[in-house]
Amino acid sequence: MQTWFEPKAGTARAVVVFAPAMGVRQDYYAEFANHLADHQFLVGTVDYRAMGFNEPVSLRGQKVTFMDWQIDIENLLDAATQRASGLPLILCGHSLGGQLVGTLRNRRHIDAVLTVASGTGYWGHNPKMRLQLLYLWYFAMPVLTRLCGYFPGRRLNKVGNLPREIALTWARWCRDPRYLMGDPEVRERSTFDQVTLPMLSLSFADDDYIPKAAVEHLHGFYTNARLERRHVHPREVGSQRIGHFGFFKLGGEHPLWQQTVAWLETHALGGKVG
């Protein structure tokens, strides 16, 4: 399911599409999407198959892989180019969404990338949660997923329910110091080093899930991107907390939203840049 936010006044001057985080329904991004629409962006959001508004009554037996979720993003990009042919197109990847940019086959449509709280999930990068993550990746997720036919994360208050292959693959990635690049199938189709686009990476000092080391690890895959990194301490921008999810709820008056929109406008108004 895709949702589109039309510019509130005038015609669109650029397009922004959202690649969501794991287990996050697309309407979580609606407030920021509406704010971008106020600034004459056409904005598209999507749910991965079997997630969000697409979630079936039961995930048991659902044959969904990360390749399917990659295709969901690719379909959103194709829809964006059809709706607004010739306009600059920016991809905003939240967490998992920022990890998948280097696997997209129609990446040529993208002119710039914004990643928010995106990093790798290898447990060794997160000493604060080491015991919880070792339990999750080595026991809870692989064992419960095989027993239940899906990962019952909602019952455990962790991530949310996930399809079987997604959960088992993700747990395997998070046990590997190379994360997704330790997966031969991903490595074969990845083009991280071919991403030469402008990329703004926002990460947050109070993000318990994706600490700075994990963000640096992921963006190290994008060896040729024109990368701008901003590691934000919430109090530097007048907030008590931002964490892994808070950026999308800051509001239009918040300086971080204003700075981000300014960055998007710079690249949107510049036309094709990569």
Side-chain angles (χ1 to χ4, degrees):
M1 174 182 170
Q2 298 177 3
T3 303
W4 291 92
F5 300 78
E6 301 285 344
K8 302 294 173 55
T11 58
R13 51 183 176 169
V15 187
V16 178
V17 297
F18 283 75
M22 180 87 70
V24 177
R25 202 170 71 178
Q26 62 175 295
D27 56 349
Y28 190 82
Y29 306 108
E31 186 176 349
F32 189 51
N34 273 308
H35 181 70
L36 294 176
D38 286 336
H39 288 77
Q40 288 182 263
F41 289 94
L42 171 66
V43 184
T45 61
V46 69
D47 282 314
Y48 297 123
R49 65 192 70 186
M51 302 299 292
F53 289 112
N54 296 326
E55 185 174 348
V57 174
S58 173
L59 285 175
R60 194 174 285 109
Q62 292 289 319
K63 300 183 183 301
V64 179
T65 68
F66 277 108
M67 181 67 179
D68 293 319
W69 286 4
Q70 173 187 322
I71 292 170
D72 293 334
I73 301 174
E74 291 171 350
N75 289 341
L76 182 64
L77 289 171
D78 286 340
T81 58
Q82 291 170 10
R83 292 176 71 100
S85 178
L87 289 181
L89 195 157
I90 298 166
L91 186 143
C92 174
H94 179 206
S95 195
L96 173 69
Q99 298 172 16
L100 297 180
V101 177
T103 67
L104 300 175
R105 293 168 297 184
N106 58 353
R107 181 177 42 77
R108 67 188 182 279
H109 297 316
I110 304 173
D111 298 294
V113 177
L114 166 67
T115 67
V116 179
S118 286
T120 60
Y122 173 56
W123 64 269
H125 290 313
N126 196 338
K128 288 184 180 179
M129 297 183 64
R130 182 161 294 176
L131 292 179
Q132 299 98 307
L133 293 176
L134 287 172
Y135 169 75
L136 179 63
W137 304 131
Y138 283 87
F139 177 76
M141 190 166 286
V143 172
L144 292 178
T145 298
R146 288 186 171 93
L147 285 174
C148 299
Y150 71 101
F151 178 61
R154 209 165 284 151
R155 294 186 215 169
L156 304 175
N157 197 29
K158 292 185 181 299
V159 184
N161 295 345
L162 298 175
R164 182 181 190 276
E165 291 307 314
I166 292 287
L168 293 178
T169 300
W170 193 30
R172 188 173 70 249
W173 289 357
C174 291
R175 295 192 298 266
D176 192 320
R178 299 165 294 176
Y179 190 59
L180 82 173
M181 292 301 284
D183 186 324
E185 292 184 9
V186 175
R187 201 162 55 244
E188 183 178 348
R189 69 173 189 268
S190 72
T191 57
F192 286 94
D193 61 343
Q194 297 176 30
V195 176
T196 60
L197 304 168
M199 177 180 288
L200 173 61
S201 164
L202 298 177
S203 60
F204 309 102
D206 64 335
D207 187 340
D208 295 329
Y209 297 102
I210 302 292
K212 186 178 181 180
V215 179
E216 301 291 355
H217 186 210
L218 173 67
H219 290 82
F221 299 153
Y222 296 103
T223 52
N224 294 305
R226 285 173 264 166
L227 177 64
E228 181 178 347
R229 282 278 293 117
R230 298 184 191 174
H231 188 65
V232 179
H233 291 262
R235 295 194 178 187
E236 294 175 350
V237 290
S239 293
Q240 291 297 312
R241 179 161 178 78
I242 298 176
H244 193 62
F245 300 100
F247 171 82
F248 297 100
K249 302 298 182 182
L250 293 175
E253 300 304 314
H254 196 280
L256 196 53
W257 271 24
Q258 294 175 359
Q259 294 165 19
T260 303
V261 169
W263 188 91
L264 296 176
E265 288 177 331
T266 296
H267 295 287
L269 297 175
K272 293 281 184 183
V273 289

